[in-house]
């Protein structure tokens, strides 16, 4: 009887998990991104203690992230494991929610549960000769996790997070498996390259059938059946309110190639060290599955049949693609101040590559007249390029080292894309760290306080998604690292 | 410092809850996406002895919806319509022959013979609906009840096409139906039939007691408010303010006879009321020049009328209290009907009064015609504009008045006719002639 239109705003993700990814789930990055948008900068405890200003330092296994050329200066065998715990506080105060919305006193909470998640990295290197050192790193330079689901599907609409139609939960893990080859060009300089295989898992969830947006398409298609003789648009608005809310869940994975490269120059007396690094953009061709569910007991259900919406939105395979940005890093450091190292970094990420995410559904109306998922749906984000400026220091005293740093991160998320998937803002971070060495083992801890600048958005195009408002976020990060130095120190 | 303190005290003293509530009301937002009406004959648009699509299209809720530019599907009824009329004999339930009609109007479609009824309606008003009916009465199969015209009306309005669909679908009461439509805005016009029925029967005891009335009314308003619906409630017009109950003064204006004649011939006091049947009987007697005692049910004594008015005021106090406690907006429809009765209105150069044939009430005497409905619509639109800061345009009453047959009703006698000579039976059998000035 009714021909309902398609819904929008689904992301493609596959449900297939490679075995390696399962084994290495302890390495996935969680919590809201620490770097820009979904970048993660704190992939080494020693580096993080210095505000991540490590490009021209790169003197441990995490060099494979910050500057692969650094492993060329690390003799013997090195094994290193780093772990990061993120505790994020994300609060959203909507600007103009639906009248009567119950807004919690501290805003809507976007923190994941449990509140802290561990992120791990692993590095190993082996000097082969005076000039050649090889390494292998497993790390996650991109990751994302938030959860604005403060409700059950059957709860009254006005008690639910109002931006739920733009997203409720998101999770991204992009893990690099990177063998690295570093060559000592001169006694004071080295060059490295690290081809990588990138495993990515993406999960997205959002509510669908927004009465002000995608449900209107259903309303227009059903207008002549439900309210004949009534203006189509007016009828559609009323019909949209008679539909249930639904949830779309999309999960998928991909395997893609990537590459890192680096150059490091170290002055013989440490007066000035210079580092350059590059990590390639990676296009992730995801394959996965989309699933849909709808509330029961809505007004139209008994009139149109309980199976109409499940038939219109069948669970199905889905494909999609998105590109993580390339990273370009430049760093300077000096160790000429006795036992103190000072460093400064500038990183640039071409996030403008993340402009849109096309989603391709496998079930379409062309194959089955009951289906309403489109052949392609494109999510528009239009990110801008971002950069980070970091300064740090390390002061060594005997077997201990004290570190500190500051990091400024310019967000790539433009106003129109700020929402439950990317509640991002420019960030100021202060870091402290401490290492203690015993024999050939070194234990490191660090803490970072990340204050995201309070951000208020008011984009006309987001009014119906109810994502306009104030975003107040703060993140605690803490981590530890353990490295084994086998062979010459 | 002292000046600042005095200024602060002055500011505090100038604040009062009413001001705050008015400000709070101004900031309330009105979403007109889904506008439903819970009412009885008045909100259904009933007029001139029945409910049919001609009068339904002119109902004040339909005209409000038109000005708000919101969808408002109605259960349009083909002529001659349905609904028993208070004070008149009930009509039998008569099903039209096939091809003669379908009772409910099917909106025309681009493809001929593809017409279908609207699946849902937003004007849920049912003629002769009492307040408790809104909570308790629901459609019952079969569609047509030959022995129950009220159930048939409920079926045709709240149960069509549900009762004839080849699916098991819910059959809602008026309140359940309203809630199912997920309304953003609702108007409640209930209670008028409750008091009209009591007044027409001349029995004030039939008017619900305030406590039970309030409980039922609050259930309805709460049932809508908990969906975050903006609710407008109307007070109940006093039947004594309607043309169904004409004062002797109004009757003399209508029949152009001195009020002393009315008083002397029929023993009607200035505070008493005359029904349309009574007006018709008196008028016929004048034409036939034969004065006879009037039928017993055409005069309502003043004391009974006062009792009814007091009870209506008591019910309106309950409506006002429910509106206040539930955060609904109150429109004083009773006050408007009283204004029509006492002072009348002018629409252009035309005077609109509450008299029978005064241009406001239709032939039944208690439901307004198209102009009256439009006047009510403008009143409520004005209230919405003030309360919510909206700017809904008001109706242009001139064209409506021009096309409204009710405004053209006039008594049969022309003003230039000479007074009738009347005869009345006397105890001596001698006919007396009474010359009228």
């Amino acid at each position: 009887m009714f021909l309902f239109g398609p819904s929008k705003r689904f992301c493609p993700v596959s449900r297939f998990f490679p075995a390696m990814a399962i084994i290495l789930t302890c390495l996935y990055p969680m919590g809201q991104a620490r770097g820009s948008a979904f970048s993660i900068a704190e992939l080494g405890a020693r580096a993080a203690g210095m505000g991540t200003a490590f490009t021209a330092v790169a003197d441990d296994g995490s060099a494979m992230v910050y500057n692969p050329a650094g492993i060329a200066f690390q003799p013997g065998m090195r094994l290193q494991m780093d772990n990061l715990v993120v505790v994020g506080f994300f609060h959203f105060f909507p600007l103009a929610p639906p009248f009567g919305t119950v807004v919690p006193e501290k805003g809507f909470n976007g923190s994941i549960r449990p509140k802290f998640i561990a992120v791990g990295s692993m590095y190993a290197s082996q000097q082969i000769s005076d000039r050649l050192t090889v390494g292998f790193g497993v790390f996650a330079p991109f990751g994302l996790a938030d959860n604005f689901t403060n409700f059950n599907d059957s709860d009254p609409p006005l008690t639910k997070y109002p931006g739920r139609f733009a997203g409720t939960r998101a999770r991204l893990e992009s893990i690099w498996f990177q063998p690295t080859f570093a060559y000592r060009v001169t006694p004071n300089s080295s060059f490295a390259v690290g081809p990588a295989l990138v495993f990515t898992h993406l999960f997205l969830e959002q509510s669908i059938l927004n009465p002000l947006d995608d449900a209107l398409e259903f309303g227009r298609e059903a207008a002549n059946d439900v309210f004949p003789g009534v203006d189509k648009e007016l009828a559609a608005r009323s019909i949209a309110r008679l539909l249930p809310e639904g949830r779309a869940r999309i999960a998928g994975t991909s395997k893609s190639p990537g590459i890192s490269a680096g150059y490091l120059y170290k002055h013989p007396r440490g007066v000035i060290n210079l580092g350059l690094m590059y990590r390639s953009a990676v296009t992730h061709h995801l394959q996965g599955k989309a699933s849909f569910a709808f509330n029961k007991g809505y007004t139209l259900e008994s009139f149109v049949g309980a199976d109409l919406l499940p038939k219109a939105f069948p669970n199905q395979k889905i494909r999609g693609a998105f590109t993580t940005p390339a990273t370009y890093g430049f760093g300077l450091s000096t160790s000429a101040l006795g036992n103190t190292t000072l460093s400064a970094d500038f990183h640039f990420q071409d996030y403008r590559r993340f402009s849109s995410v096309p989603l391709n559904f496998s079930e379409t109306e062309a194959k089955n007249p009951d289906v309403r998922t489109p052949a392609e749906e494109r999510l528009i984000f239009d990110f801008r390029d971002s950069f980070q400026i970091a300064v740090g220091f390390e002061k060594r005293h005997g077997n201990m080292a004290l570190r500190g740093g500051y990091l400024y991160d310019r967000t790539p998320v433009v106003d129109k894309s700020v929402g439950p998937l990317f509640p991002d803002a420019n960030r100021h971070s202060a870091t402290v760290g401490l290492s203690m060495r015993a024999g050939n083992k070194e234990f490191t801890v660090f803490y970072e306080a990340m204050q995201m600048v309070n951000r208020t958005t008011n984009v006309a195009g987001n009014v119906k998604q109810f994502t306009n408002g104030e975003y107040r976020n703060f993140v605690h990060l803490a981590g530890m690292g353990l490295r084994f130095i086998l062979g010459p120190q | 410092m002292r000046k600042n303190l005095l200024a602060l005290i002055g500011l505090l003293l100038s604040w009062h809850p009413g001001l705050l509530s008015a400000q709070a009301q101004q900031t309330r937002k009105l979403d007109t996406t889904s506008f439903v009406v819970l009412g009885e004959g008045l909100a259904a648009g009933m007029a001139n002895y029945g409910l049919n699509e001609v009068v339904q299209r002119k109902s004040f809720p339909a005209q409000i919806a038109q000005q708000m530019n919101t969808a408002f599907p109605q259960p349009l009824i083909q002529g001659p319509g349905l609904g028993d009329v208070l004070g008149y004999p009930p009509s039998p339930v008569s099903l039209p022959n096939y091809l003669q009609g379908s009772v409910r109007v099917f909106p025309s479609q681009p493809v001929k013979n593809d017409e279908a009824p609207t699946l849902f309606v937003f004007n849920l008003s049912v003629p002769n609906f009492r307040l408790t009916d809104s909570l308790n009465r629901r459609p019952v199969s079969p569609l047509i009840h030959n022995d129950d015209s009220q159930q048939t009306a409920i079926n045709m309005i709240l149960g069509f096409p549900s009762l004839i669909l080849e699916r098991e679908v819910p059959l809602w009461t008026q309140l359940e139906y309203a809630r199912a439509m997920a309304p953003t805005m609702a108007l409640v016009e209930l209670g008028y039939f409750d008091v009209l029925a009591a007044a027409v029967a001349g029995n004030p005891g039939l008017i619900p007691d305030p406590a039970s009335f309030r409980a039922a009314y609050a259930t309805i308003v709460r049932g809508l408010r908990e969906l975050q619906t903006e609710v407008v409630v109307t007070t109940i017009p006093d039947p004594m303010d309607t043309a169904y109950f004409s004062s002797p003064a109004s009757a003399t204006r209508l029949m152009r006879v001195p009020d002393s004649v009315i008083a002397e011939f029929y023993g009607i006091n200035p505070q008493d009321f005359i029904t349309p049947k009574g007006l018709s009987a008196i008028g016929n007697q004048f034409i036939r020049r034969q004065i006879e005692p009037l039928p017993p049910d055409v005069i309502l004594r003043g004391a009974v009328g006062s009792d009814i008015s007091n009870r209506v005021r008591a019910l309106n106090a309950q409506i006002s209290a429910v509106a206040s406690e539930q955060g609904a907006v109150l429109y004083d429809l009773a006050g408007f009907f009283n204004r029509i009765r006492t002072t009348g209105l002018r629409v252009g150069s035309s005077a609109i009064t509450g008299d029978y044939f005064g241009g406001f009430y239709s032939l039944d005497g208690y439901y307004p015609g198209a102009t009256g409905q439009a006047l009510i619509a403008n009143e409520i639109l004005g209230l919405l504009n003030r309360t919510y800061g909206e700017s809904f345009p008001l109706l242009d009453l001139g064209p409506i008045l021009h096309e409204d047959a009710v405004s053209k009703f006039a008594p049969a006698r022309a003003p230039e006719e000479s007074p009738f000579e009347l005869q009345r039976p006397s105890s001596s059998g001698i006919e007396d002639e009474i010359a009228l000035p």
Side-chain angles (χ1 to χ4, degrees), chain A residues 1-2 99-101 158 212 224-231 234-235 237-239 241-242 299-306, chain B residues 28-29 33-34 69-71 73 107 109 116-120 122 162 165 167-170 172 180-184 228 230:
Chain A
M1 180 181 177
F2 301 107
F99 187 76
T101 296
L158 290 174
L212 300 180
N224 212 37
D225 291 317
V226 178
F227 293 127
V230 176
D231 176 83
L234 296 181
R237 289 181 206 160
S238 294
I239 294 168
R241 294 180 60 81
L242 306 181
T299 297
L300 279 173
E301 185 176 24
S302 51
F303 293 89
V304 305
Chain B
R28 282 169 75 161
K29 190 170 165 287
T33 300
S34 292
N69 192 32
T70 185
Q109 298 280 47
T118 176
L119 187 58
F120 304 118
F122 284 178
S162 298
L165 289 177
R167 284 178 181 273
E168 196 170 321
V169 296
W172 297 309
M181 294 299 103
T184 56
Q228 296 300 321
E230 288 297 305

Side-chain angles (χ1 to χ4, degrees), chain A residues 194-223:
Chain A
L197 185 61
V198 183
F199 285 88
T200 298
H201 171 241
L202 178 66
F203 170 81
L204 289 171
E205 180 188 80
Q206 67 181 102
S207 293
I208 59 173
L209 298 184
N210 180 356
L212 300 180
D213 193 8
D214 50 337
L216 281 175
E217 297 196 27
F218 285 77
R220 292 184 189 103
E221 203 163 344

